[in-house]
Amino acid sequence: MDALHGPAGGRTQTEGQLMDIETIIDTYGDAMLRLCLLYLGERQLAEDAFQTAVIRAWKSLPGFRGESSVKTWLSRITVNVCRDMLRSGWFRMRKSSVSIDALTDLAAEPSAQDSEVTQAVLALPGRYREVIVLYYYEDMTLREIADALRIPVNTASTRLRRGRALLGDMLKGDIEP
């Protein structure tokens, strides 16, 4: 068998070696696209980031060592793609508007409160937004978040605490989003 579908030379299979790109998209595609939407705030940008993340995952799949879960590994790739997009000169020059309507495509009709919370999350500085999104929207543990972002667990915990506080202030109206 090849490296993507089975053992080579009697080695044991890692979770990543049992998967092919179609399985990754079927199993994790919605979560990856939702992460891109929450990170970037626009449907078209999110779709571009999702496609790029899938391609990077596909190219990196043979090198996946199984040191983290596939979900954590894919989240790391997806967050890195989104970060790259946000850092690009093209993105910085372009006037960006966040559309809550893009997020409703993947979820049920949000309440007014859900929309307000989502808008506030999207307005958070990137370091806090990514931790909040991974923790609350992707149900990742602090350890998984730390692995995905390549930061210490204590840093992830601090960012989550500070992000919650900032989000609370934004929702109370103490801070403008």
Side-chain angles (χ1 to χ4, degrees), residues 53-136:
V54 168
I55 291 168
R56 283 192 190 169
W58 176 68
K59 287 180 177 179
S60 302
L61 194 56
F64 177 72
R65 297 182 307 252
E67 294 173 358
S68 64
S69 70
V70 172
K71 179 181 177 181
T72 300
W73 178 69
L74 290 171
S75 294
R76 179 183 307 143
I77 291 171
T78 304
V79 165
N80 286 339
V81 167
C82 291
R83 282 179 178 170
D84 290 348
M85 286 185 79
L86 290 174
R87 280 186 233 150
S88 73
W90 172 85
F91 187 85
R92 286 182 293 188
M93 289 175 36
R94 174 183 176 279
K95 183 179 178 184
S96 177
S97 64
V98 176
S99 171
I100 193 67
D101 297 330
L103 298 174
T104 61
D105 292 343
L106 293 180
E109 278 299 311
S111 67
Q113 184 180 7
D114 289 343
S115 294
E116 182 181 354
V117 170
T118 302
Q119 287 287 8
V121 168
L122 291 172
L124 287 170
R127 65 181 1 177
Y128 302 126
R129 180 179 57 236
E130 64 191 11
V131 174
I132 294 282
V133 166
L134 293 173
Y135 188 81
Y136 288 105

Side-chain angles (χ1 to χ4, degrees), residues 4-40:
L4 297 178
H5 300 98
R11 294 183 315 199
T12 59
Q13 296 173 326
T14 65
E15 191 176 356
Q17 289 173 320
L18 295 173
M19 303 194 80
D20 59 14
I21 199 64
E22 186 176 320
T23 305
I24 287 174
I25 292 171
D26 290 346
T27 306
Y28 301 101
D30 286 345
M32 290 172 69
L33 182 56
R34 185 174 45 253
L35 181 57
C36 291
L37 276 168
L38 289 166
Y39 208 95
L40 299 171

